Amino acid sequence: MKARKQNSQSDIRIGFGYDIHRLSAGRKLILGGVHIPHSMGLLGHSDADVLLHAICDALLGAAALGDIGKHFPDTDKRYHGISSLILLRRVGLLLKKHNFIVQNIDSTVVLERPKIGHYVLHMRKNIGTALGIRADRISVKATTNEGLGPLGAEEGCVAYAVASISSKPDP
Ligand code: MG
């Protein structure tokens, strides 16, 4: 009886995502689907967009649908060099198929250099377009690691994300 009542109401869920990629010379730096000019980029099987990967995991986590590695394994040649905006779009469609609506996303990128504040609005628009939601429901924040540890030494970039989703109420 209790379960039935729960199912008849809108169901709010949250999910958390984390990702890290190594910085490497000779790679493009792509964050939130934006190419940011820099001497190094992120190493990975896809375009290594650490921010979008953390967001994908937050969305999949909220829906209890596994993680990005389960849906897009880095051993699969189809995902070699793929834009992570395509992966994010697919995650959005998967949630839609499971009757979920994305409410909002908050995220933080930890990167020592370069400063990425100027690119944040573009990233938010890209994420909103991929998911079919307004950019004012998407937050992207940037910080440095204050020179501490491997992130401070510019060996890599980390992203954290939380997402809130809701299920469409039963008609
Ligand atoms: Mg990744």
Side-chain angles (χ1 to χ4, degrees):
M1 188 67 186
K2 219 173 185 179
R4 184 176 294 175
K5 194 178 176 191
Q6 247 180 5
N7 288 342
S8 69
Q9 292 172 347
S10 180
D11 178 17
I12 302 279
R13 301 172 176 214
I14 60 161
F16 171 73
Y18 163 86
D19 197 23
I20 183 167
H21 281 260
R22 191 179 287 276
L23 276 163
S24 172
R27 290 275 300 183
K28 280 184 181 173
L29 178 60
I30 303 195
L31 290 170
V34 180
H35 176 211
I36 298 167
H38 190 48
S39 56
M40 292 189 286
L42 296 172
L43 205 56
H45 183 68
S46 63
D47 64 358
D49 191 326
V50 69
L51 172 60
L52 298 190
H53 294 182
I55 290 173
C56 283
D57 264 359
L59 291 167
L60 290 168
L65 286 169
D67 60 30
I68 192 169
K70 176 186 162 187
H71 293 278
F72 314 109
D74 63 8
T75 49
D76 191 326
K77 284 181 183 160
R78 284 178 300 170
Y79 305 123
H80 181 72
I82 197 171
S83 164
S84 296
L85 282 170
I86 295 171
L87 305 184
L88 180 63
R89 188 167 166 271
R90 288 187 192 169
V91 167
L93 292 173
L94 184 67
L95 262 63
K96 200 173 172 186
K97 200 174 122 192
H98 282 79
N99 213 30
F100 289 114
I101 299 166
V102 180
Q103 292 297 331
N104 76 300
I105 291 166
D106 185 22
S107 62
T108 299
V109 176
V110 187
L111 180 66
E112 208 64 23
R113 256 183 353 120
K115 296 284 181 217
I116 60 171
H118 287 311
Y119 302 98
V120 160
L121 183 60
H122 192 176
M123 293 180 199
R124 291 171 59 208
K125 285 180 178 168
N126 281 347
I127 296 161
T129 301
L131 293 172
I133 62 171
R134 285 169 43 165
D136 65 3
R137 287 182 176 265
I138 299 153
S139 158
V140 176
K141 309 186 301 301
T143 189
T144 71
N145 218 39
E146 294 285 337
L148 295 167
L151 294 179
E154 299 180 48
E155 290 177 25
C157 179
V158 154
Y160 303 92
V162 288
S164 169
I165 65 172
S166 60
S167 58
K168 287 183 200 160
D170 293 334

